[in-house]
Amino acid sequence: MRKIWLFLSLSFALVLPVVCKSQDPAPQPARTGRLQVRVPEAQELFGLANNVRAEQGLKQLEWDPALASAALQHCLRMVSKGEISHQFEGEPDLNARAGDAGAKFSQISENVATGLKPATIQLAWLESPGHRANLLNPDSDHVGMAVVSLGDTLYAVADFTRAEPALSQAQVEEAFATLLRAKGLEIYPDPSDARAYCAQPDGTKYGGTTGPNFLVRWQGPDTSQLPPALVTKLDASTFHQASVGNCPPQNLTGSYTLYRVAILFYQ
């Protein structure tokens, strides 16, 4: 009989976290033997994860050293506590742990378990709806895993993310400028007014000097497309020029990677 313990399966989305809990409390493994960080077992779990994703036609996960570091620190804490959990008293939550380790992401989820070997841990994750959803999430593209043993028992943590690049202010502005050029708009070379409007709190009136005909600002993780509502507006407009500005995000909760953008449009 295979022996494995599963606990919570957490998933944090960009705005609101979704939490999937197992129905029954997990039994606690015996705490005997010497503690060891098991790198080969973590790599085995990584390979198993990508194997099953390939079978499902999903993209392969890339290894993220920052996520692996965060997973290891939490895994060691689980061993020290003698139980499995996603957050212990006095410990930062999942997205803070990953962010503090240097990961950049717009979505994050975590699986934890104890068992006797990686294959049984993987199988149990697949048999648990919440864990399976995290493992086979089509939006995830990076993962960091850690396995620590205490005697014959393996403690495992897997942190999955949709990674986001850390872009400079100029890179963010150029990304959206490129999208606007594709729609036939000319881009103002000076982004000063757009940057100033971007940095103002939501609800604040425009205070620049160039007199745009329409202005908009938002924040999100994706620099590959314009917001759908803005695309609809542009398709029905007669704007010919635009100024793009980027600034630090506001009212940010957690460690998600977000970009705040303002665009001023002129006819």
Side-chain angles (χ1 to χ4, degrees), residues 13 30 53 60 63 67 69 75 107 126 130 141-142 145 156 165 180 187 191-192 214 226 232 237 239 253 259:
R53 287 177 67 90
Q60 297 287 277
W63 186 264
L67 290 175
S69 176
C75 201
Q107 176 179 292
L126 289 171
D141 52 26
H142 283 70
M145 296 184 175
L180 293 172
I187 304 301
S192 299
F214 176 71
L226 296 166
T232 300
S237 73
F239 303 132
T253 300
Y259 301 106

Side-chain angles (χ1 to χ4, degrees), residues 30-163:
R31 290 176 48 75
T32 59
R34 184 166 64 93
L35 181 152
Q36 289 184 296
V37 176
R38 307 297 288 264
V39 175
E41 283 79 357
Q43 288 298 315
E44 183 178 346
L45 266 181
F46 175 53
L48 290 170
N50 272 332
N51 287 345
V52 74
R53 287 177 67 90
E55 292 171 359
Q56 299 295 319
L58 299 173
K59 60 189 173 187
Q60 297 287 277
L61 298 170
E62 295 184 30
W63 186 264
D64 188 319
L67 290 175
S69 176
L72 177 58
Q73 293 307 309
H74 182 63
C75 201
L76 290 169
R77 190 180 289 255
M78 291 199 308
V79 176
S80 71
K81 296 289 187 179
E83 59 181 313
I84 50 178
S85 174
H86 289 287
Q87 185 178 12
F88 295 98
E89 184 177 357
E91 181 187 30
D93 65 13
L94 170 60
N95 77 81
R97 294 196 304 266
D100 290 344
K104 303 293 183 183
F105 52 89
S106 59
Q107 176 179 292
I108 187 166
S109 60
E110 180 175 79
N111 285 358
V112 297
T114 62
L116 296 179
K117 57 184 180 179
T120 56
I121 290 173
Q122 165 85 345
L123 180 59
W125 280 347
L126 289 171
E127 291 177 346
S128 167
H131 296 84
R132 182 183 180 90
N134 289 342
L135 185 61
L136 300 180
N137 185 343
D139 292 329
S140 294
D141 52 26
H142 283 70
V143 69
M145 296 184 175
V147 176
V148 177
S149 65
L150 186 64
D152 293 333
T153 300
L154 299 180
Y155 289 73
V157 176
D159 291 340
F160 307 91
T161 64
R162 175 181 174 180

